[in-house]
Amino acid sequence: MFSAVILSTILMSQAWALKYTDCGSKTGKILNVQVTGCEETDVCEFKRGEKYNYDVSFESLKDTETLKTVIHGIIGGVALPFPVQNPNACEHSAIECPLQSGQTYNYGYEIEVRRAYPALQANVKWELKDDNNEDVVCVLIPVKVV
């Protein structure tokens, strides 16, 4: 009976988890990805004029002195750079650099969906890059701006 309860809880938590793809993490291992309001959907629906929190937990597989945030919107197979106000993730997140191999880190970023953004469907490619410009983590999230 206890096993059935545990299995049911695991299956339900997986069913309600954010759908994302690891798009090429090389020097890190993604442990968890969360976006506010996207817990129970295959496509994150972003409403213009709203703010959302993006959080990723990961394990570093390599030491690195720096960590840089890079974001692209992929529309029709074309990667369009998204401006990041403060790309230095060591200074503008809860992460303290240098990163050490085997340690777990949590990165958070507030996303502002401006009213001027067009209504569209795209994939957001969110990368954290190390000293050698390799992806510590690379997350691809399907989004719909409404």
Side-chain angles (χ1 to χ4, degrees), residues 8-9 12 17 37 39 44 55 57 61 65 74 77 82 84 88 93 99 101 109 119-120 125 135 138:
S8 173
T9 303
M12 289 181 71
E39 295 83 7
C44 276
D55 293 291
S57 299
L61 302 177
E65 294 291 321
I74 302 174
F82 185 84
V84 178
N88 185 339
S93 73
L99 270 63
S101 180
Y109 190 88
L120 57 81
K125 183 177 182 181
D135 286 335
C138 181

Side-chain angles (χ1 to χ4, degrees), residues 70-83 120 122-125:
V70 177
I71 305 171
H72 286 87
I74 302 174
I75 302 168
V78 178
L80 304 169
F82 185 84
L120 57 81
N123 286 312
V124 174
K125 183 177 182 181

Side-chain angles (χ1 to χ4, degrees), residues 43-50 52 113-122 143-146:
V43 177
C44 276
E45 192 170 280
F46 288 165
K47 294 180 181 158
R48 290 176 279 189
E50 302 278 327
Y52 299 87
V113 182
R114 297 183 180 157
R115 292 189 187 280
Y117 290 170
L120 57 81
Q121 193 156 345
V143 301
K144 183 177 183 179
V145 177
V146 295

Side-chain angles (χ1 to χ4, degrees), residues 50-66:
E50 302 278 327
K51 293 182 181 180
Y52 299 87
N53 292 314
Y54 167 82
D55 293 291
V56 62
S57 299
F58 64 94
E59 177 185 347
S60 180
L61 302 177
K62 180 179 159 189
D63 294 347
T64 185
E65 294 291 321
T66 61

Side-chain angles (χ1 to χ4, degrees), residues 93-117:
S93 73
I95 295 176
E96 290 187 27
C97 292
L99 270 63
Q100 297 178 3
S101 180
Q103 296 295 312
T104 300
Y105 298 92
N106 296 304
Y107 170 82
Y109 190 88
E110 184 178 74
I111 306 160
E112 179 184 357
V113 182
R114 297 183 180 157
R115 292 189 187 280
Y117 290 170

